[in-house]
């Protein structure tokens, strides 16, 4: 085990006012490293129906990600979808924000989304979406009509328990000529930047390239390119196809060599992580306690899933934060899981002194957006990698 974050409620299980006194389900949240395949993973698995059938995270609620997806769609279109009649199948298509961009470019699209509330929203905005979990069975259904030109999946591969069935489903869906492109948060950034709050029950795997190479090889597939992205605290965009279909880009060897040099294949690489996370917790509570002693008004900026891991691990409740603001209509009027902090729509910030930036992965965009608040003396407390006021 490389990190123990205690018993926590699922980080997207936001609750209503009338549930505040009800018992909340909590599950162990512990991170493990496999000394055989080097995959960092959770071993305490929460039922996927419970986590994903009714889902509060909406891609469209975060403008920076919508912008990222716009550029992403254009890049993939340029490189792989110029041919007429190209089909993009997205696994975990959420509210259809990415597929909307491909549709604008004239590509055929199909979404696969288990969240009933979100797939309904997507279909209502004419983004054809199957309300189901992805599996090789679904792939066999789809190829009855045709193969996919591109299968795309973002921030969802880490959520899938059966990686074997996933890869066999991908192999079926892309056939001989298709390409599989996916984005996952990068383990090296998680460890280096102490992004412990991205460890939560939805994320079963914490990917690096060494274990992924072994996985795809088993299915006659190969990684032919890897491109680093800045979103979500450091992300890899990975390109996979049938073996020998594409020239292998030198990026693959660069990442493999880097990971071996860093020692991701040795437990020593992970040893200091847990101690550093415990120290971060102490430092953050110390700063918040001092602010409250000075009668400062402090609130949370953004109610991301990762924020709830941080709040529950550090025991930060309404003694420290008056409320949390968030742009997601589904979250507004709800309370955070475990710590029960009320979530309200973004409002005039100028009456508060300090914003704890729980959505730290959008620091640059949010600090620009809230310039007036800062010019009027408002401060942002950035929780990690080292709590700092800006
Ligand atoms: O892997 C996952 C990532 C992709 O998204 C999922 N398992 C769940 C989710 O994680 P998250 O909730 O930690 O994601 P975000 O994108 O960091 O969430 C940002 C939150 O902040 C959203 O609720 C929207 C909100 N927000 C805001 O209130 N004002 C965001 C921005 C940019 C803002 O200006």
């Amino acid at each position: 085990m490389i990190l123990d974050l205690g018993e926590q409620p699922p980080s997207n299980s936001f609750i209503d006012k009338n549930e505040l006194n009800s018992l909340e389900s909590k599950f162990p949240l512990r991170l493990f490293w496999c000394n055989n395949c080097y995959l960092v993973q959770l071993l305490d698995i929460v039922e996927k129906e419970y986590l994903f059938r009714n889902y509060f995270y909406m891609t469209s609620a975060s403008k920076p990600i919508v912008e990222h997806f716009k550029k992403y769609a254009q890049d993939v279109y340029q490189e792989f979808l110029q041919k007429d009649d190209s089909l993009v199948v997205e696994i975990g298509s959420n509210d259809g924000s990415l597929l909307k961009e491909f549709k604008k470019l004239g590509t055929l699209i199909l979404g696969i989304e288990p969240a009933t509330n979100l797939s309904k929203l997507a279909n209502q905005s004419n983004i054809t979406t199957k309300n189901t979990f992805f599996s090789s069975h679904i792939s066999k259904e789809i190829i009855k009509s045709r193969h996919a030109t591109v299968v795309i999946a973002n921030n969802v591969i880490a959520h899938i328990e059966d990686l074997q069935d996933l890869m066999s489903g991908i192999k079926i869906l892309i056939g001989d000529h298709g390409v599989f492109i996916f984005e996952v948060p990068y383990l090296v950034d998680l460890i280096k930047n102490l992004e412990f709050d991205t460890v939560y029950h939805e994320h079963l795997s914490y990917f690096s390239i060494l274990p992924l190479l072994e996985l795809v090889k088993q299915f006659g597939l190969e990684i032919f390119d890897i491109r680093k992205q800045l979103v979500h605290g450091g992300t890899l965009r990975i390109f996979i196809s049938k073996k020998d279909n594409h020239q292998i880009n030198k990026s693959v060897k660069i990442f493999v060599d880097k990971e071996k040099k860093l020692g991701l294949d040795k437990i020593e690489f992970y040893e200091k992580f847990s101690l550093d996370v415990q120290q971060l917790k102490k430092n953050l509570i110390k700063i918040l306690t001092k602010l409250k002693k000075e009668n400062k008004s402090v609130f949370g900026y953004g109610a991301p899933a990762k924020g709830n891991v941080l709040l529950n691990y550090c025991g930060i409740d309404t003694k420290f934060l008056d409320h949390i603001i968030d742009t997601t209509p589904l979250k507004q009027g709800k309370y955070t899981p475990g710590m029960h902090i009320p979530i309200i729509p973004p409002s005039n910030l100028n009456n508060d002194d300090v914003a704890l930036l729980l959505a730290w992965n959008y620091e640059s965009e949010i600090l620009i957006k809230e310039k007036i608040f800062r010019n009027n003396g408002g401060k942002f407390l950035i929780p990690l990698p080292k709590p700092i006021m800006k």
Side-chain angles (χ1 to χ4, degrees):
M1 182 170 65
I2 56 179
L3 182 70
D4 186 350
L5 294 170
E7 299 257 321
Q8 295 217 10
S11 51
N12 262 313
S13 56
F14 295 94
I15 60 174
D16 288 318
K17 193 173 183 98
N18 60 16
E19 297 170 299
L20 285 174
N21 300 319
S22 321
L23 200 59
E24 251 172 309
S25 303
K26 295 186 177 180
F27 308 90
L29 188 52
R30 304 176 294 176
L31 201 57
F32 296 84
W33 173 74
C34 172
N35 59 8
N36 177 34
C37 70
Y38 314 133
L39 181 66
V40 171
Q41 56 196 285
L42 300 188
L43 297 180
D44 311 288
I45 296 171
V46 178
E47 216 328 282
K48 62 181 182 189
E49 292 283 344
Y50 178 71
L51 291 177
F52 300 116
R53 271 304 178 194
N54 182 45
Y55 203 52
F56 286 94
Y57 175 78
M58 294 173 70
T59 308
S60 53
S62 300
K63 281 213 181 65
I65 281 293
V66 174
E67 287 312 309
H68 172 74
F69 279 171
K70 208 172 269 175
K71 179 82 178 48
Y72 188 2
Q74 284 155 4
D75 293 350
V76 171
Y77 179 83
Q78 291 299 331
E79 214 170 334
F80 300 102
L81 297 165
Q82 301 255 13
K83 258 192 1 273
D84 291 349
D85 183 38
S86 294
L87 168 66
V88 174
V89 176
E90 182 181 8
I91 300 172
S93 51
N94 198 272
D95 56 12
S97 294
L98 176 61
L99 288 178
K100 212 173 271 172
E101 299 303 326
F102 281 112
K103 192 173 181 178
K104 282 185 206 156
L105 293 162
T107 304
L108 299 171
I109 57 164
L110 174 65
I112 298 171
E113 173 52 56
T116 308
N117 61 324
L118 298 178
S119 58
K120 197 162 154 224
L121 276 178
N123 282 310
Q124 279 164 354
S125 53
N126 299 321
I127 301 295
T128 312
T129 303
K130 280 180 182 296
N131 179 211
T132 180
F133 287 96
F134 176 74
S135 68
S136 56
H137 169 71
I138 297 294
S139 292
K140 288 174 188 146
E141 287 298 307
I142 296 171
I143 62 159
K144 283 185 183 151
S145 55
R146 59 164 297 166
H147 285 95
T149 318
V150 167
V151 176
I152 199 159
N154 306 300
N155 305 301
V156 63
I157 302 302
H159 301 52
I160 297 175
E161 185 181 356
D162 189 341
L163 294 174
Q164 304 293 323
D165 181 70
L166 165 73
M167 279 303 156
S168 103
I170 296 292
K171 182 177 176 133
I172 293 164
L173 201 44
I174 63 176
D176 290 339
H177 307 295
V179 172
F180 174 42
I181 305 170
F182 66 101
E183 288 192 350
V184 281
Y186 189 30
L187 177 67
V188 170
D189 295 301
L190 188 160
I191 301 288
K192 280 202 167 159
N193 305 327
L194 287 187
E195 300 168 358
F196 74 92
D197 57 350
T198 62
V199 176
Y200 47 90
H201 301 103
E202 293 179 16
H203 297 164
L204 300 178
S205 306
Y206 299 79
F207 285 112
S208 51
I209 295 302
L210 294 176
L212 270 172
L213 276 179
E214 289 312 309
L215 177 64
V216 298
K217 215 175 359 185
Q218 295 168 24
F219 294 86
L221 303 173
E222 67 188 352
I223 298 176
F224 66 86
D225 198 1
I226 305 166
R227 299 174 198 169
K228 191 72 193 291
Q229 312 291 318
L230 296 177
V231 289
H232 289 304
T235 284
L236 296 184
R237 185 180 295 173
I238 299 170
F239 298 75
I240 286 176
S241 70
K242 195 172 170 213
K243 194 170 177 350
D244 304 328
N245 265 17
H246 283 80
Q247 177 136 12
I248 307 288
N249 187 293
K250 64 180 184 335
S251 59
V252 178
K253 184 171 181 323
I254 290 169
F255 274 92
V256 169
D257 294 350
K258 190 178 107 178
E259 289 186 7
K260 287 192 173 148
K261 192 153 171 272
L262 282 170
L264 268 71
D265 51 354
K266 299 180 185 63
I267 189 62
E268 289 74 20
F269 178 76
Y270 305 96
E271 263 156 8
K272 225 167 121 314
F273 182 57
S274 178
L275 294 172
D276 293 346
V277 170
Q278 291 165 39
Q279 189 56 48
L280 187 158
K281 171 179 176 175
K282 290 195 189 103
N283 297 347
L284 187 56
I285 292 171
K286 204 162 151 220
I287 293 171
L288 287 168
T289 305
K290 183 168 172 292
L291 288 170
K292 295 316 287 180
K293 278 215 179 82
E294 296 161 357
N295 287 324
K296 296 276 195 249
S297 66
V298 187
F299 70 102
Y301 195 108
K306 58 176 74 67
N308 293 318
V309 175
L310 182 145
L311 296 173
N312 279 287
Y313 175 64
C314 299
I316 297 169
D317 58 12
T318 49
K319 282 199 303 301
F320 293 103
L321 303 185
D322 302 338
H323 56 256
I324 291 176
I325 64 166
D326 192 280
T327 51
T328 315
L330 288 174
K331 296 179 181 178
Q332 295 159 1
K334 300 252 179 212
Y335 293 76
T336 63
M339 294 293 112
H340 299 175
I341 301 170
I343 303 164
I344 62 172
S347 56
N348 171 352
L349 305 185
N350 295 326
N351 309 328
D352 296 285
D353 301 310
V354 177
L356 173 60
L357 185 58
L358 297 165
W360 50 263
N361 45 317
Y362 303 114
E363 179 185 335
S364 51
E365 296 91 346
I366 290 173
L367 266 59
I368 291 166
K369 184 166 109 174
E370 304 298 354
K371 226 190 348 270
I372 299 169
F373 168 66
R374 301 177 67 210
N375 292 347
N376 293 342
K379 292 265 183 260
F380 274 92
L381 172 52
I382 319 293
L384 54 86
K386 198 171 174 309
I388 187 170
M389 297 282 261
K390 287 189 180 173

